[in-house]
mmCIF file of all heavy atoms in Angstrom:
data_model
loop_
_atom_site.group_PDB
_atom_site.id
_atom_site.type_symbol
_atom_site.label_atom_id
_atom_site.label_comp_id
_atom_site.label_asym_id
_atom_site.label_seq_id
_atom_site.Cartn_x
_atom_site.Cartn_y
_atom_site.Cartn_z
ATOM 1 N N ARG A 1180 -0.148 -8.957 0.053
ATOM 2 C CA ARG A 1180 0.929 -8.043 -0.348
ATOM 3 C C ARG A 1180 0.676 -7.447 -1.696
ATOM 4 O O ARG A 1180 0.844 -6.235 -1.934
ATOM 5 C CB ARG A 1180 2.275 -8.766 -0.307
ATOM 6 C CG ARG A 1180 3.449 -7.838 -0.539
ATOM 7 C CD ARG A 1180 4.777 -8.522 -0.221
ATOM 8 N NE ARG A 1180 4.995 -9.708 -0.965
ATOM 9 C CZ ARG A 1180 4.975 -10.921 -0.485
ATOM 10 N NH1 ARG A 1180 4.684 -11.150 0.799
ATOM 11 N NH2 ARG A 1180 5.185 -11.990 -1.240
ATOM 12 N N ARG A 1181 0.200 -8.274 -2.632
ATOM 13 C CA ARG A 1181 -0.131 -7.775 -3.968
ATOM 14 C C ARG A 1181 -1.313 -6.794 -3.944
ATOM 15 O O ARG A 1181 -1.293 -5.791 -4.650
ATOM 16 C CB ARG A 1181 -0.415 -8.967 -4.919
ATOM 17 C CG ARG A 1181 0.831 -9.789 -5.241
ATOM 18 C CD ARG A 1181 0.438 -11.061 -6.018
ATOM 19 N NE ARG A 1181 1.618 -11.809 -6.366
ATOM 20 C CZ ARG A 1181 1.597 -13.048 -6.844
ATOM 21 N NH1 ARG A 1181 0.435 -13.668 -7.001
ATOM 22 N NH2 ARG A 1181 2.699 -13.679 -7.150
ATOM 23 N N ALA A 1182 -2.291 -7.080 -3.114
ATOM 24 C CA ALA A 1182 -3.414 -6.184 -2.986
ATOM 25 C C ALA A 1182 -2.986 -4.841 -2.431
ATOM 26 O O ALA A 1182 -3.411 -3.773 -2.914
ATOM 27 C CB ALA A 1182 -4.504 -6.815 -2.091
ATOM 28 N N VAL A 1183 -2.106 -4.864 -1.428
ATOM 29 C CA VAL A 1183 -1.581 -3.619 -0.900
ATOM 30 C C VAL A 1183 -0.803 -2.856 -1.949
ATOM 31 O O VAL A 1183 -0.900 -1.654 -2.050
ATOM 32 C CB VAL A 1183 -0.713 -3.860 0.371
ATOM 33 C CG1 VAL A 1183 0.020 -2.627 0.779
ATOM 34 C CG2 VAL A 1183 -1.600 -4.366 1.524
ATOM 35 N N ASP A 1184 0.017 -3.595 -2.718
ATOM 36 C CA ASP A 1184 0.752 -2.962 -3.808
ATOM 37 C C ASP A 1184 -0.160 -2.177 -4.719
ATOM 38 O O ASP A 1184 0.114 -1.044 -5.108
ATOM 39 C CB ASP A 1184 1.498 -4.019 -4.622
ATOM 40 C CG ASP A 1184 2.673 -4.650 -3.877
ATOM 41 O OD1 ASP A 1184 3.117 -4.088 -2.868
ATOM 42 O OD2 ASP A 1184 3.146 -5.757 -4.332
ATOM 43 N N LYS A 1185 -1.297 -2.784 -5.086
ATOM 44 C CA LYS A 1185 -2.256 -2.121 -5.941
ATOM 45 C C LYS A 1185 -2.837 -0.882 -5.308
ATOM 46 O O LYS A 1185 -3.025 0.168 -5.958
ATOM 47 C CB LYS A 1185 -3.370 -3.090 -6.354
ATOM 48 C CG LYS A 1185 -2.944 -4.189 -7.286
ATOM 49 C CD LYS A 1185 -4.142 -5.094 -7.615
ATOM 50 C CE LYS A 1185 -3.704 -6.237 -8.547
ATOM 51 N NZ LYS A 1185 -4.847 -7.110 -8.877
ATOM 52 N N GLN A 1186 -3.170 -0.985 -4.024
ATOM 53 C CA GLN A 1186 -3.793 0.134 -3.365
ATOM 54 C C GLN A 1186 -2.813 1.310 -3.135
ATOM 55 O O GLN A 1186 -3.187 2.456 -3.144
ATOM 56 C CB GLN A 1186 -4.427 -0.372 -2.061
ATOM 57 C CG GLN A 1186 -5.669 -1.199 -2.325
ATOM 58 C CD GLN A 1186 -6.126 -2.084 -1.232
ATOM 59 O OE1 GLN A 1186 -6.123 -1.708 -0.061
ATOM 60 N NE2 GLN A 1186 -6.493 -3.319 -1.547
ATOM 61 N N VAL A 1187 -1.543 0.931 -2.984
ATOM 62 C CA VAL A 1187 -0.516 1.976 -2.950
ATOM 63 C C VAL A 1187 -0.386 2.641 -4.333
ATOM 64 O O VAL A 1187 -0.297 3.850 -4.476
ATOM 65 C CB VAL A 1187 0.864 1.391 -2.539
ATOM 66 C CG1 VAL A 1187 1.984 2.398 -2.728
ATOM 67 C CG2 VAL A 1187 0.796 0.955 -1.052
ATOM 68 N N ALA A 1188 -0.415 1.799 -5.377
ATOM 69 C CA ALA A 1188 -0.335 2.332 -6.743
ATOM 70 C C ALA A 1188 -1.524 3.204 -7.107
ATOM 71 O O ALA A 1188 -1.398 4.212 -7.825
ATOM 72 C CB ALA A 1188 -0.237 1.153 -7.730
ATOM 73 N N TYR A 1189 -2.685 2.887 -6.584
ATOM 74 C CA TYR A 1189 -3.881 3.705 -6.800
ATOM 75 C C TYR A 1189 -3.861 5.008 -5.995
ATOM 76 O O TYR A 1189 -4.710 5.892 -6.155
ATOM 77 C CB TYR A 1189 -5.133 2.950 -6.386
ATOM 78 C CG TYR A 1189 -5.755 2.089 -7.467
ATOM 79 C CD1 TYR A 1189 -5.596 0.712 -7.465
ATOM 80 C CD2 TYR A 1189 -6.555 2.656 -8.470
ATOM 81 C CE1 TYR A 1189 -6.177 -0.105 -8.449
ATOM 82 C CE2 TYR A 1189 -7.125 1.856 -9.454
ATOM 83 C CZ TYR A 1189 -6.934 0.482 -9.431
ATOM 84 O OH TYR A 1189 -7.555 -0.302 -10.391
ATOM 85 N N GLY A 1190 -2.875 5.149 -5.124
ATOM 86 C CA GLY A 1190 -2.762 6.357 -4.329
ATOM 87 C C GLY A 1190 -3.728 6.425 -3.163
ATOM 88 O O GLY A 1190 -4.042 7.475 -2.642
ATOM 89 N N MET A 1191 -4.158 5.216 -2.679
ATOM 90 C CA MET A 1191 -5.095 5.170 -1.579
ATOM 91 C C MET A 1191 -4.421 4.861 -0.246
ATOM 92 O O MET A 1191 -4.798 5.329 0.811
ATOM 93 C CB MET A 1191 -6.173 4.090 -1.831
ATOM 94 C CG MET A 1191 -7.002 4.368 -3.072
ATOM 95 S SD MET A 1191 -8.090 5.763 -2.901
ATOM 96 C CE MET A 1191 -9.478 4.963 -2.052
ATOM 97 N N LEU A 1192 -3.362 4.043 -0.296
ATOM 98 C CA LEU A 1192 -2.583 3.679 0.865
ATOM 99 C C LEU A 1192 -1.161 4.175 0.712
ATOM 100 O O LEU A 1192 -0.649 4.285 -0.409
ATOM 101 C CB LEU A 1192 -2.534 2.162 1.050
ATOM 102 C CG LEU A 1192 -3.733 1.439 1.641
ATOM 103 C CD1 LEU A 1192 -3.482 -0.083 1.636
ATOM 104 C CD2 LEU A 1192 -4.043 1.923 3.037
ATOM 105 N N GLN A 1193 -0.512 4.438 1.830
ATOM 106 C CA GLN A 1193 0.923 4.698 1.889
ATOM 107 C C GLN A 1193 1.550 3.630 2.750
ATOM 108 O O GLN A 1193 0.983 3.162 3.737
ATOM 109 C CB GLN A 1193 1.169 6.090 2.482
ATOM 110 C CG GLN A 1193 0.630 7.221 1.630
ATOM 111 C CD GLN A 1193 0.821 8.571 2.286
ATOM 112 O OE1 GLN A 1193 0.850 8.684 3.505
ATOM 113 N NE2 GLN A 1193 0.922 9.612 1.476
ATOM 114 N N ARG A 1194 2.722 3.158 2.328
ATOM 115 C CA ARG A 1194 3.419 2.112 3.052
ATOM 116 C C ARG A 1194 4.842 2.554 3.319
ATOM 117 O O ARG A 1194 5.593 2.915 2.416
ATOM 118 C CB ARG A 1194 3.406 0.823 2.229
ATOM 119 C CG ARG A 1194 4.142 -0.364 2.869
ATOM 120 C CD ARG A 1194 3.922 -1.632 2.056
ATOM 121 N NE ARG A 1194 4.243 -1.394 0.636
ATOM 122 C CZ ARG A 1194 3.855 -2.201 -0.363
ATOM 123 N NH1 ARG A 1194 3.130 -3.287 -0.074
ATOM 124 N NH2 ARG A 1194 4.144 -1.940 -1.583
ATOM 125 N N SER A 1195 5.239 2.461 4.579
ATOM 126 C CA SER A 1195 6.587 2.865 4.966
ATOM 127 C C SER A 1195 7.523 1.716 4.732
ATOM 128 O O SER A 1195 7.128 0.569 4.449
ATOM 129 C CB SER A 1195 6.639 3.342 6.396
ATOM 130 O OG SER A 1195 6.296 2.281 7.264
ATOM 131 N N ALA A 1196 8.812 1.934 4.920
ATOM 132 C CA ALA A 1196 9.831 0.912 4.682
ATOM 133 C C ALA A 1196 9.643 -0.310 5.548
ATOM 134 O O ALA A 1196 9.999 -1.425 5.144
ATOM 135 C CB ALA A 1196 11.215 1.499 4.831
ATOM 136 N N ASP A 1197 9.115 -0.112 6.781
ATOM 137 C CA ASP A 1197 8.941 -1.249 7.692
ATOM 138 C C ASP A 1197 7.569 -1.940 7.497
ATOM 139 O O ASP A 1197 7.205 -2.812 8.290
ATOM 140 C CB ASP A 1197 9.121 -0.817 9.134
ATOM 141 C CG ASP A 1197 8.059 0.156 9.595
ATOM 142 O OD1 ASP A 1197 7.142 0.525 8.807
ATOM 143 O OD2 ASP A 1197 8.088 0.594 10.757
ATOM 144 N N GLY A 1198 6.814 -1.548 6.487
ATOM 145 C CA GLY A 1198 5.545 -2.173 6.193
ATOM 146 C C GLY A 1198 4.334 -1.537 6.872
ATOM 147 O O GLY A 1198 3.192 -1.991 6.686
ATOM 148 N N THR A 1199 4.547 -0.487 7.621
ATOM 149 C CA THR A 1199 3.416 0.209 8.275
ATOM 150 C C THR A 1199 2.568 0.879 7.220
ATOM 151 O O THR A 1199 3.044 1.538 6.318
ATOM 152 C CB THR A 1199 3.925 1.241 9.286
ATOM 153 O OG1 THR A 1199 4.633 0.572 10.317
ATOM 154 C CG2 THR A 1199 2.787 2.050 9.896
ATOM 155 N N LEU A 1200 1.228 0.736 7.386
ATOM 156 C CA LEU A 1200 0.285 1.318 6.414
ATOM 157 C C LEU A 1200 -0.423 2.530 7.013
ATOM 158 O O LEU A 1200 -0.749 2.576 8.199
ATOM 159 C CB LEU A 1200 -0.797 0.252 6.070
ATOM 160 C CG LEU A 1200 -0.282 -1.032 5.413
ATOM 161 C CD1 LEU A 1200 -1.446 -1.989 5.175
ATOM 162 C CD2 LEU A 1200 0.427 -0.736 4.091
ATOM 163 N N SER A 1201 -0.656 3.504 6.151
ATOM 164 C CA SER A 1201 -1.482 4.673 6.535
ATOM 165 C C SER A 1201 -2.270 5.063 5.290
ATOM 166 O O SER A 1201 -1.994 4.628 4.170
ATOM 167 C CB SER A 1201 -0.588 5.820 7.019
ATOM 168 O OG SER A 1201 0.347 6.180 6.019
ATOM 169 N N ALA A 1202 -3.273 5.898 5.517
ATOM 170 C CA ALA A 1202 -4.097 6.359 4.395
ATOM 171 C C ALA A 1202 -3.432 7.563 3.772
ATOM 172 O O ALA A 1202 -2.890 8.438 4.431
ATOM 173 C CB ALA A 1202 -5.500 6.747 4.895
ATOM 174 N N SER A 1203 -3.470 7.606 2.440
ATOM 175 C CA SER A 1203 -3.059 8.804 1.713
ATOM 176 C C SER A 1203 -4.126 9.868 1.859
ATOM 177 O O SER A 1203 -5.194 9.640 2.454
ATOM 178 C CB SER A 1203 -2.858 8.474 0.232
ATOM 179 O OG SER A 1203 -4.133 8.150 -0.305
#
């Protein structure tokens, strides 16, 4: 979860409210 947080912060991943991941 922390790794995903970082990748969202880097603008590489997008995460929806239900936890679904997609590429930015």
